[in-house]
Amino acid sequence: MNSYIKKYTKKELIEDTGRVSWTSPSNIALIKYWGKHGKQLPCNPSISFTLNESKTTMDFSWSIKDGGKDEIVLDFYFENKKNEAFENKIRKFLEDNFELFPFLKYLSLEIESTNSFPHSAGIASSASSMSALALGLCTIEDQAFDLNQSEEEILDKATYIARLASGSASRSVFPGIVSWGKSDLEDIKSTDEKAATVEGIADVFKTYQDSIVIVDAGEKAVSSRAGHALMEAHPFRDVRFKHANDQLALLVEVMKSGDVDQFCEIVETEALELHGLMMNSSPSYTLMRPNTLAVIEKIRAFRSETGLPICFTLDAGPNVHILYPESIKNEINEFMINELTPLAQGGLIIHDKVGSGPERFL
Ligand code: PMV
């Protein structure tokens, strides 16, 4: 029996109404989750930086509803406007996982969601929004039924729930450097069901900046969901999953030792491997745009000229995440303004950094 499934009666509700509010960040993977099986379980472990500025704020209000029907009563607003597309997506998620949310039999929900980053920036918002949703649901349960759980218990359930909504969202529940997926490594405490903070990482990586060069803000031609599915029959499937495990082990060693140069090498190889997998899928596709490669070449040239530990990674999209320690922020800023702004759509570069995780306001 799943320990996250609890049974309630309407009589156990301690209040008729309540409010909860969370802000939860996005994250950028260094070793990528690409390919899944079963109920949102990853084919290989991944590791990411939780971000600081790119985040979703979700305000939840709940009230007792009439009767005790299984149907979900939900009103969803995105950036102050009713949004039926998101509402239906969330309703379907709640219905599909109703056994985890039996309290929704007695409660109706209103959710207002806003993102800190511009809607049109082409930044994936599923990690920040689905982790905020999971945190909100777990807190409502705790508050409405007076469960008195510790913060640790709430986060532990929230990472599990967030994963079911969007795999990478499981990592956004925790601050700093986070893994998700099973690994034999001693420092990796995550499982395939839940993410966990990676301990023992050198301090320099906690100062890392992530400047996101927006190369193309348009909608992706192939969704992440379709990309994961194409890994099922991928010719390099087994090699990839083995390599991702090996790369993760190497990266953890390097991040513990504080070797910023080796970090650059592993992270870039991994980003290009992700896009290589897309190009070798059947059907094949590319999400990089010409300016994605132009930015990558500029970064590599700048690194070899200056010796500075600046590197890039890519999400499942065309935008380039530039990673570097805070100590070289001024040099990198100058380089970005001079060399990269002309390659960004509308000159847009969003500055983010490793962050301290979700925050509860109510
Ligand atoms: O969580 P999803 O299903 O949106 O997939 C995320 C996939 C990548 O962003 C490419 C990699 C990752 O680990 O975040």
Side-chain angles (χ1 to χ4, degrees):
M1 162 92 174
N2 183 328
S3 63
Y4 297 119
I5 301 175
K6 299 198 168 67
K7 296 250 179 288
Y8 303 101
T9 61
K10 203 168 182 175
K11 279 202 212 109
E12 286 170 280
L13 263 172
I14 60 150
E15 302 276 357
D16 285 0
T17 60
R19 289 180 64 201
V20 160
S21 176
W22 278 93
T23 288
S24 192
S26 186
N27 67 75
I28 179 69
L30 306 169
I31 300 293
K32 316 285 181 181
Y33 144 61
W34 201 237
K36 58 180 165 181
H37 64 100
K39 220 177 165 194
Q40 290 271 106
L41 300 168
C43 292
N44 65 263
S46 55
I47 189 164
S48 57
F49 281 145
T50 291
L51 298 179
N52 198 52
E53 308 298 333
S54 310
K55 50 197 180 187
T56 297
T57 299
M58 266 195 198
D59 298 320
F60 303 78
S61 337
W62 54 267
S63 53
I64 285 197
K65 76 180 183 204
D66 296 334
K69 294 203 195 109
D70 281 0
E71 92 187 300
I72 305 284
V73 179
L74 170 69
D75 255 328
F76 186 86
Y77 297 84
F78 179 65
E79 320 256 281
N80 299 320
K81 277 200 213 104
K82 174 98 174 154
N83 189 313
E84 287 190 9
F86 285 157
E87 182 176 295
N88 290 337
K89 213 176 132 194
I90 292 175
R91 181 176 293 108
K92 178 153 187 342
F93 167 67
L94 297 174
E95 281 167 1
D96 289 350
N97 295 285
F98 198 75
E99 55 176 10
L100 285 163
F101 315 112
F103 53 95
L104 294 180
K105 230 178 161 147
Y106 311 122
L107 304 181
S108 61
L109 275 186
E110 190 180 293
I111 304 177
E112 287 186 38
S113 182
T114 47
N115 288 340
S116 63
F117 42 90
H119 186 48
S120 57
I123 294 189
S125 60
S126 69
S128 55
S129 59
M130 292 303 112
S131 53
L133 177 71
L135 288 158
L137 290 166
C138 295
T139 318
I140 290 170
E141 178 184 39
D142 186 72
Q143 197 179 71
F145 294 93
D146 202 17
L147 302 183
N148 233 337
Q149 297 166 96
S150 64
E151 188 184 314
E152 207 182 333
E153 285 172 298
I154 294 196
L155 297 186
D156 175 76
K157 181 165 179 181
T159 181
Y160 179 90
I161 305 254
R163 179 201 104 234
L164 293 171
S166 165
S168 57
S170 64
R171 297 186 306 244
S172 277
V173 169
F174 299 107
I177 294 113
V178 183
S179 67
W180 166 44
K182 189 179 144 329
S183 157
D184 297 334
L185 297 177
E186 206 186 305
D187 304 291
I188 299 291
K189 309 285 183 220
S190 56
T191 64
D192 284 352
E193 298 191 314
K194 294 185 282 183
T197 300
V198 184
E199 306 290 349
I201 299 296
D203 285 345
V204 63
F205 292 109
K206 296 171 192 158
T207 76
Y208 257 59
Q209 312 289 304
D210 176 10
S211 296
I212 312 162
V213 181
I214 306 302
V215 165
D216 189 339
E219 196 152 316
K220 294 186 281 191
V222 180
S223 68
S224 286
R225 184 208 286 223
H228 287 295
L230 288 172
M231 284 307 290
E232 276 165 35
H234 200 285
F236 302 149
R237 182 186 160 85
D238 296 341
V239 181
R240 161 62 191 164
F241 300 146
K242 158 117 188 27
H243 195 225
N245 272 281
D246 294 349
Q247 291 283 86
L248 184 117
L250 259 179
L251 187 71
V252 170
E253 268 323 296
V254 159
M255 290 182 82
K256 279 166 67 180
S257 75
D259 186 336
V260 290
D261 297 318
Q262 273 218 58
F263 173 86
C264 290
E265 204 174 311
I266 300 168
V267 165
E268 291 190 354
T269 305
E270 176 64 13
L272 294 176
E273 188 163 312
L274 170 73
H275 284 258
L277 290 164
M278 296 172 191
M279 292 189 223
N280 288 298
S281 288
S282 177
S284 154
Y285 64 106
T286 44
L287 294 182
M288 289 193 282
R289 311 302 310 146
N291 275 356
T292 310
L293 287 173
V295 170
I296 288 175
E297 286 183 357
K298 291 266 184 204
I299 292 169
R300 287 183 158 172
F302 180 75
R303 182 171 63 225
S304 66
E305 268 163 37
T306 61
L308 293 173
I310 168 180
C311 64
F312 66 85
T313 188
L314 304 165
D315 231 335
N319 302 324
V320 186
H321 290 247
I322 307 184
L323 306 175
Y324 51 95
E326 191 181 17
S327 56
I328 57 169
K329 201 170 165 178
N330 291 344
E331 292 93 316
I332 304 299
N333 253 330
E334 203 185 315
F335 158 66
M336 287 191 294
I337 292 167
N338 295 339
E339 308 260 353
L340 302 185
T341 308
L343 299 169
Q345 198 176 59
L348 184 59
I349 302 181
I350 294 177
H351 299 286
D352 212 324
K353 60 182 181 185
V354 174
S356 52
E359 249 184 292
R360 182 178 170 185
F361 293 101
L362 275 176

